[in-house]
Structure formats: C-alpha cells, structure tokens
Amino acid sequence: MKKGFYTVGLIIVLAVSAFAFILAPALVGRGNRDTLPPFGSYDGKKIKFEEGSDFKKYVAKYADLFKKLGKQSDPLSNYYIFNYAFNAVVQKMAYTQAVAESGYVVPQSAVNREMLPDFFENGKYSQRKYRETPASEIEQRQKEIREEFTKNRYTDDMFGPSEQFAGTTLYGLKSSENEIAFFENFGTEKRGFDMASFSTDDYPDSEKEAYGRANAQKFIKYDMSIITCGEKSKAETVAKRLKNNEITFTDAVNEYSSKNYSDANGKLTNSYRYEIERIIKNSDDIEKALSLAKDETSAVIETNIGFSVFHADGNASDPDFSNEQTVKDVWSYLRSNEAGRIEDYYTDIAKNFAAEAALNGFEKTAKKFNTVNADIAPFPLNYGNVAFANPVDTSIQGLSGADTNKNFLQTAFSLKSNEISSPVVNGKNVLVLQYTDEVKDEPSENTSSIERQIVSSDEESASAALMASPKLKNDLFTVYFNYFMNAGNTN
C-alpha cells in the first residue's frame, strides 16, 4: 500500500476530471504569474506556487496522474488538484520538521543505494554514465532523495511500511495478539431486527394549526419597511431627516440603508412577530417597533447587525389558520424552533406502538398503526460503518445516519432476544425495534487486509488532524479563485 497523505482510492474518488495541468500557470494573466501571493503557510513558512517549489511539483505530479486517467475537466474541478498538492506540501513540511527535530539524518549509503539505478545501462552500473551526468543534476537528485527519505521516516515509524523481516513489519507500532484477535473478530456478531418508523415530516396539519392558534401572537403579520445602518450616528441622521420631512422614506432607503432585513425597496422581508422580535437586539425595544400605527416611523432601534428605523406601511393582520400558507409558515417555525415538540408527539405514538406490539405482535401492530414493518438484515455493532466489518444499511427508510447514532446502536445491541425497544429518535424519525435474529460469522483470516485498512484509517486521521493544525494558514481557496478562476478576466 502506498504510504503518504493520500491513498489511490481517495485520488480516484476526486478524479472527476483531469486536465494538462502542467499548463495551469497559463490560467493566470501574464502580469500575475510572478506575483502570486502565498497560498498559505505552515509554522510560519510560506507555501508558494513558483518555479522549483514543492507546491508546483506536486501540482504537476497530481495533474499527470489525473491526465493518465483520461478524464476531462473544468476550472472548478481543477481546484481539487491544487487542494491535493497543497495538502501534500503541508504534510511534507510537517513530517520533515518532526524528523529533523528528532536528530535523524538520512545516511549517505541509503542515498547512494536509491540513486544507483539512475546510472544503470543494460541492467548494470555504468561508470561512464555517472561521469557524464552533470554534478548539479546529481546534487539535485540526492537532495530529492534525502527529502523523500526524511518524510518517509516519519510515515514508516508512525504507520508502518510494507517492508518485513521474517514476517514482522520492520517499522511502525506493533500490534499485540489480543489486538489482532479483536480485529479478526470485529463485526462477526450480527443482529437483525424488525423496525417500525414514524417520520416527523408527517406531522399532521391539525397539530400545526392547534399550535398556531395556541401561539397566535407569534404569527401576527406586520406591514413594515426598514432602514438599517451600520453606525448609530448615521441612523440618527436618517431618523432626524425623516422627522423633519427632509427626505422620503423611499429615498432614505436608497441613500442610507444596507438593506440587510429588507428587499431592494426597503420592505421588511420577515414580517411575522417572532421574526421581528429576533432582529431587535434589546427586548425592551420590541414594542417600540410593533406598536407603530399606520404611516408612523420609529426612532432609532438597535438591531442585531446595526441600527434601524422602522416604518408602518399598513396595519398588522391577525393570522388566518384556515389559510394553507399560514399553516405552512407555522410548520416552518415548528421545524426550526420546536423540533422537540414534534419528536415528543411521535415518541408518544411510538410508546403506544411498543406496548401494543408486546401484546399482539409486531407485524399486526404495524398494520394497525399504518406503518411499515421493515425487516433489517443482521449487521454488527459498527459505529461509523468502518470498513473492517459489514455496515448498517443506512439507505433503509428511517436509518439514515443510524451508524453514528450512539443511542440507536446502544439500544439495538442492549436488547434481549425478541425484546421490543423503547422509542429511539434518529434524525427525522422515531423508531421502535424488535431484536429478531442473530448471526455469528467466522473470524477473518485475511490479517494483511485488516492491517492495510488500519494503516489507511490512520493516515486519513493524521491528514485530518494536520489540516486542522493551528500552525497551518490555508488561503488556498481565496488565492485560487481570485487568480485562477478569474484568469479569463486578466488575459
């Protein structure tokens, strides 16, 4: 398995397109090529896209790989190649620095062994070919080998290389017999279930309407316009000019307003009471805005992103819960602010389902409650659906995200045979499970495959941690899109 920041599998996943990226600098206007800002830095060392830089070499390397795959590209997908190259540079900088701090130096003998095939002719070392090679070329090649060996010293020691002696990996952390046994047996115990699911998306209109009527004040709609300024003094100037009839509200919108809370004409875009309450910073100021009579203008009121002046264009209107759109608006509010209320509604239904299923059977109760009795094939306790074992089938209705739902997995694997669970919330669904089946597989005998998967997992985890390092400044997105995506405007 290839060691390093990226596995071949990851490369192929993102190889949605390819392109002769050796020509990538042509995407930048001629006057900009030598003045590109750094794409970021690691531990204070800048990462530049310039001739001879590691960054440019990695871009060429990954571009060549993608090109060999015969893919097509567009400027946006080419960004991913730059992203790969940037991450590879960061890895090299971090790993090389760590090895250097340890005091390790690549032996000259190791460099010579690696370089020897460069001077082969017909399978044998050629003294003539060595003498004819320019000294500068030999020196550059030795430098590249030292850098690569230094980086590999880190990855070999951390993740283990493929080299073995007498069946034992030479470097990297060693695994105990118990650890190996754990992974060999991981996922061999599987459980199957019957499952009933209740989707919160099916929340009845009658419940939405009932909530709306009980909280009607939230859904009073106001006919208002608003002017918002970043500075209080500016907003006070607006309010003064409006009060003295020096300017119309419409003209003031165009001249002063940032229009954060309004459309282009200054009309308040979120006009329910609960929405207006949210944008006003101090609760004591809410009534100052909402008590305005038709054609009345407020004093300056501090809002969450500035200072605003409200104007009542018309009278407030009470909600009409017989109107379909009003009920939809209540539903939008409930999903955003009262998700627990919706879950409680279905949790109560699920509790009744579980109680009745215990008496009359799961299948019969599912029909009575008009829900599907899903037959869930046996799966192991596999948090995150790691590759070492069979996954939870999250494509089944109600199980999306279940592989990372600790409560779901804990509930499922705590049940006794044929026991029915309490309700379990999983995303937008409330589930009831019955443990129905148990399967015991033979332990895996493919230890080498497990080891490769562990190394791959370790490498991916290391890359994620490195890219989240406080030592890293990542300006890749900004620089690439400013200087490459906009290249058509600079040539």
Side-chain angles (χ1 to χ4, degrees):
M1 177 176 176
K2 181 182 181 297
K3 301 295 183 293
F5 204 66
Y6 300 101
T7 63
V8 173
L10 284 174
I11 291 291
I12 293 174
V13 167
L14 280 179
V16 294
S17 60
F19 177 77
F21 235 101
I22 309 290
L23 302 178
L27 292 172
V28 184
R30 184 173 298 276
N32 294 340
R33 291 179 192 169
D34 298 327
T35 58
L36 278 173
F39 280 70
S41 64
Y42 181 80
D43 202 19
K45 298 178 181 178
K46 295 179 180 179
I47 301 173
K48 294 184 176 181
F49 184 78
E50 58 189 8
E51 196 62 39
S53 69
D54 286 332
F55 189 22
K56 194 165 188 178
K57 290 176 184 177
Y58 276 120
V59 167
K61 174 184 176 180
Y62 288 116
D64 185 57
L65 174 60
F66 278 31
K67 186 181 179 182
K68 287 177 180 177
L69 293 173
K71 305 295 181 177
Q72 298 298 315
S73 78
D74 56 64
L76 181 59
S77 62
N78 292 332
Y79 165 77
Y80 290 110
I81 287 182
F82 267 70
N83 189 59
Y84 271 128
F86 181 86
N87 292 356
V89 171
V90 173
Q91 180 216 44
K92 181 178 179 180
M93 294 172 75
Y95 290 2
T96 300
Q97 177 180 312
V99 173
E101 291 173 354
S102 75
Y104 172 81
V105 177
V106 178
Q108 184 61 41
S109 58
V111 175
N112 293 342
R113 282 196 303 271
E114 181 70 12
M115 196 173 182
L116 191 63
D118 293 357
F119 306 106
F120 277 7
E121 282 187 342
N122 300 320
K124 295 182 179 180
Y125 172 74
S126 169
Q127 182 68 27
R128 179 192 59 79
K129 188 173 182 180
Y130 176 80
R131 288 196 306 268
E132 292 176 355
T133 303
S136 60
E137 184 176 322
I138 293 175
E139 184 179 346
Q140 177 60 30
R141 176 66 177 136
Q142 289 181 339
K143 178 177 179 290
E144 291 173 353
I145 291 172
R146 287 192 184 93
E147 290 179 349
E148 186 66 17
F149 276 23
T150 300
K151 179 174 70 67
N152 288 350
R153 177 77 279 122
Y154 186 93
T155 57
D156 285 354
D157 285 348
M158 287 296 180
F159 309 121
S162 57
E163 292 85 357
Q164 293 188 345
F165 179 77
T168 301
T169 303
L170 290 176
Y171 306 103
L173 298 175
K174 303 303 184 285
S175 298
S176 69
E177 292 183 0
N178 289 339
E179 182 181 15
I180 294 172
F182 169 80
F183 281 106
E184 288 175 342
N185 286 277
F186 182 75
T188 57
E189 296 182 6
K190 304 176 184 177
R191 289 188 170 195
F193 302 88
D194 281 341
M195 183 185 76
S197 64
F198 302 91
S199 173
T200 58
D201 284 339
D202 297 332
Y203 198 61
D205 285 348
S206 58
E207 291 295 320
K208 302 169 192 174
E209 182 179 339
Y211 179 87
R213 292 187 184 281
N215 299 272
Q217 188 180 43
K218 292 179 182 292
F219 304 100
I220 297 173
K221 182 167 282 192
Y222 292 82
D223 182 10
M224 307 184 85
S225 293
I226 187 173
I227 296 170
T228 302
C229 305
E231 299 176 359
K232 185 177 182 180
S233 59
K234 189 176 181 180
E236 288 174 338
T237 298
V238 176
K240 183 177 180 180
R241 293 191 67 189
L242 288 169
K243 185 176 181 179
N244 295 336
N245 295 319
E246 296 174 12
I247 190 172
T248 66
F249 200 91
T250 299
D251 289 341
V253 167
N254 294 326
E255 185 174 343
Y256 293 100
S257 184
S258 61
K259 301 175 184 176
N260 290 98
Y261 300 119
S262 72
D263 62 15
N265 298 316
K267 200 71 176 178
L268 188 64
T269 50
N270 297 307
S271 55
Y272 279 125
R273 181 185 177 95
Y274 78 86
E275 293 172 322
I276 299 173
E277 288 177 347
R278 284 178 181 170
I279 70 174
I280 295 176
K281 190 169 184 178
N282 302 310
S283 58
D284 293 341
D285 290 334
I286 292 174
E287 290 305 322
K288 294 178 183 178
L290 299 184
S291 63
L292 293 174
K294 182 181 178 182
D295 297 326
E296 190 176 1
T297 302
S298 75
V300 174
I301 294 175
E302 186 174 6
T303 42
N304 289 327
I305 53 175
F307 297 86
S308 302
V309 176
F310 292 81
H311 179 78
D313 300 323
N315 296 320
S317 56
D318 292 329
D320 178 8
F321 294 108
S322 65
N323 183 286
E324 182 179 353
Q325 185 57 51
T326 303
V327 175
K328 286 182 179 179
D329 291 343
V330 173
W331 177 225
S332 177
Y333 175 86
L334 283 167
R335 284 184 296 182
S336 299
N337 303 278
E338 296 286 351
R341 179 187 181 91
I342 302 169
E343 289 177 1
D344 289 345
Y345 175 85
Y346 282 105
T347 296
D348 288 340
I349 292 177
K351 286 179 179 177
N352 293 333
F353 175 94
E356 188 157 339
L359 296 175
N360 300 320
F362 211 88
E363 181 69 30
K364 182 177 180 181
T365 305
K367 291 179 180 179
K368 179 178 178 180
F369 278 70
N370 196 30
T371 187
V372 175
N373 175 19
D375 182 10
I376 311 301
F379 63 88
L381 180 55
N382 184 1
Y383 185 89
N385 278 350
V386 297
F388 309 124
N390 291 336
V392 182
D393 187 355
T394 56
S395 67
I396 296 173
Q397 173 63 39
L399 289 186
S400 177
D403 60 308
T404 55
N405 186 332
K406 180 179 177 180
N407 188 39
F408 168 82
L409 293 172
Q410 189 172 37
T411 299
F413 283 85
S414 297
L415 294 174
K416 298 176 182 178
S417 181
N418 293 316
E419 185 180 3
I420 296 173
S421 74
S422 299
V424 180
V425 176
N426 183 55
K428 291 185 176 182
N429 297 277
V430 179
L431 314 176
V432 178
L433 303 169
Q434 183 175 32
Y435 172 24
T436 58
D437 191 15
E438 181 178 11
V439 175
K440 177 71 173 179
D441 290 344
E442 291 298 319
S444 173
E445 296 181 357
N446 191 355
T447 305
S448 61
S449 174
I450 293 174
E451 289 175 348
R452 288 194 297 270
Q453 292 179 62
I454 293 172
V455 170
S456 177
S457 178
D458 285 345
E459 289 176 346
E460 291 176 17
S461 297
S463 71
L466 183 57
M467 298 312 293
S469 169
K471 294 182 179 181
L472 177 64
K473 181 181 180 184
N474 188 345
D475 295 327
L476 175 71
F477 181 90
T478 301
V479 176
Y480 182 84
F481 276 83
N482 283 342
Y483 287 83
F484 285 78
M485 291 297 288
N486 296 327
N489 298 326
T490 59
N491 285 320

